[in-house]
Amino acid sequence: MEQQQQIIEQIKKQRVLPLFYHDDTEVCVSVTRALYEAGIRVIEFTNRGKAAMDNFKAMHAAKKDGMSDLLLAVGTIRTADQAKSFIDAGADFLISPVFDADVCDMAYMHKVLWLPGCMTPTEIHVAENAGCKLVKLFPGNVLGPGFVSAIKELFPKMDFMPTGGVEVTEENIGAWFGSGVCAVGLGSKMISKTVLANKDYTTITRLAKEALTITANIKK
């Protein structure tokens, strides 16, 4: 549990969790390096394509070349089999878009941190009773900062991280942190399909630095 708490603390310290998927292995490794160059030390690679496992393994191998302190999560985990496969492949922790009891059990058995996706107070309640300390609020753009403000008092010991639609702007990120979240997941608003198609890694590094600067300037 101590290691799991350390990962949570690292997420809370970074305050931003970049997430992406791409079919091309070289692109995945290059995006990882671009994020690392910006100062990112925790990344979520989403399990959203048939090349996910092979590409994750390549990213995991690339860690040994100058990125040994990088934490790699695998997201969009929806089954126990997926959880087991990526744990075996070296995932530092797992993230899901839903609460799934089988995934929860698999992560628990392997002593791996798991962040479930929640959208309702009931789901958050179930996650808390299962021992989760940090949940992903998804989809963030549907829920909005007002949702966090409304339910946070109900779950004083729970940390929240919205994902989906969070934008790299002081106004948007500031609104989320003002509502009480501990971190924000940043996907297509930072690592867009256009940026990936153009292999524009400089823009990824720039936007990641901007996100880190924005969150660093927000009062905790």
Side-chain angles (χ1 to χ4, degrees), residues 7 25 77 115 129 133 143 201:
I7 294 175
T25 302
I77 297 297
L115 309 183
N129 283 346
K133 307 297 184 185
L143 294 169
Y201 307 122

Side-chain angles (χ1 to χ4, degrees), residues 188-199:
S188 60
K189 299 294 184 180
M190 183 167 74
I191 309 171
S192 68
K193 290 182 179 180
T194 301
V195 166
L196 291 173
N198 294 333
K199 300 183 179 181

Side-chain angles (χ1 to χ4, degrees), residues 147-176:
F147 175 80
V148 183
S149 300
I151 57 95
K152 188 161 176 58
E153 289 186 3
L154 298 174
F155 306 99
K157 295 181 181 179
M158 180 65 76
D159 281 315
F160 298 101
M161 178 181 69
T163 299
V166 179
E167 299 178 11
V168 189
T169 65
E170 290 184 20
E171 181 181 10
N172 188 260
I173 292 178
W176 279 113

Side-chain angles (χ1 to χ4, degrees), residues 122-138:
T122 298
E123 291 169 350
I124 297 168
H125 174 72
V126 170
E128 187 170 60
N129 283 346
C132 299
K133 307 297 184 185
L134 169 61
V135 297
K136 161 182 167 176
L137 295 178
F138 178 79

Side-chain angles (χ1 to χ4, degrees):
M1 290 299 293
E2 183 179 346
Q3 184 180 14
Q4 295 182 33
Q5 188 58 41
Q6 287 175 352
I7 294 175
I8 291 176
E9 293 304 318
Q10 185 66 28
I11 295 169
K12 292 167 70 173
K13 178 182 177 182
Q14 183 167 284
R15 309 189 91 185
V16 172
L17 182 64
L19 57 133
F20 74 98
Y21 172 79
H22 199 275
D23 285 326
D24 185 87
T25 302
E26 183 182 349
V27 170
C28 291
V29 172
S30 295
V31 170
T32 302
R33 294 197 183 282
L35 290 169
Y36 190 87
E37 183 180 338
I40 296 293
R41 295 298 179 266
V42 191
I43 295 172
E44 174 188 346
F45 182 66
T46 57
N47 175 36
R48 292 196 176 184
K50 60 185 178 181
M53 178 58 76
D54 288 341
N55 292 350
F56 174 76
K57 288 180 178 178
M59 292 165 62
H60 189 266
K63 280 180 56 174
K64 299 175 183 177
D65 184 15
M67 299 186 292
S68 60
D69 58 339
L70 179 66
L71 293 173
L72 283 176
V74 177
T76 321
I77 297 297
R78 296 174 55 203
T79 69
D81 287 343
Q82 291 173 348
K84 178 67 163 56
S85 295
F86 281 101
I87 289 171
D88 290 345
D92 292 302
F93 63 105
L94 304 174
I95 303 175
S96 296
V98 297
F99 183 94
D100 184 273
D102 292 336
V103 173
C104 183
D105 290 345
M106 184 62 69
Y108 178 80
M109 286 189 293
H110 288 82
K111 299 180 180 179
V112 171
L113 175 67
W114 174 59
L115 309 183
C118 297
M119 191 181 181
T120 68
T122 298
E123 291 169 350
I124 297 168
H125 174 72
V126 170
E128 187 170 60
N129 283 346
C132 299
K133 307 297 184 185
L134 169 61
V135 297
K136 161 182 167 176
L137 295 178
F138 178 79
N141 57 325
V142 174
L143 294 169
F147 175 80
V148 183
S149 300
I151 57 95
K152 188 161 176 58
E153 289 186 3
L154 298 174
F155 306 99
K157 295 181 181 179
M158 180 65 76
D159 281 315
F160 298 101
M161 178 181 69
T163 299
V166 179
E167 299 178 11
V168 189
T169 65
E170 290 184 20
E171 181 181 10
N172 188 260
I173 292 178
W176 279 113
F177 277 94
S179 72
V181 305
C182 72
V184 292
L186 280 169
S188 60
K189 299 294 184 180
M190 183 167 74
I191 309 171
S192 68
K193 290 182 179 180
T194 301
V195 166
L196 291 173
N198 294 333
K199 300 183 179 181
D200 186 3
Y201 307 122
T202 302
T203 292
I204 292 174
T205 299
R206 176 178 61 79
L207 289 175
K209 285 181 178 179
E210 285 182 18
L212 289 172
T213 299
I214 289 170
T215 56
N217 290 332
I218 293 172
K219 292 181 179 180
K220 295 184 179 180

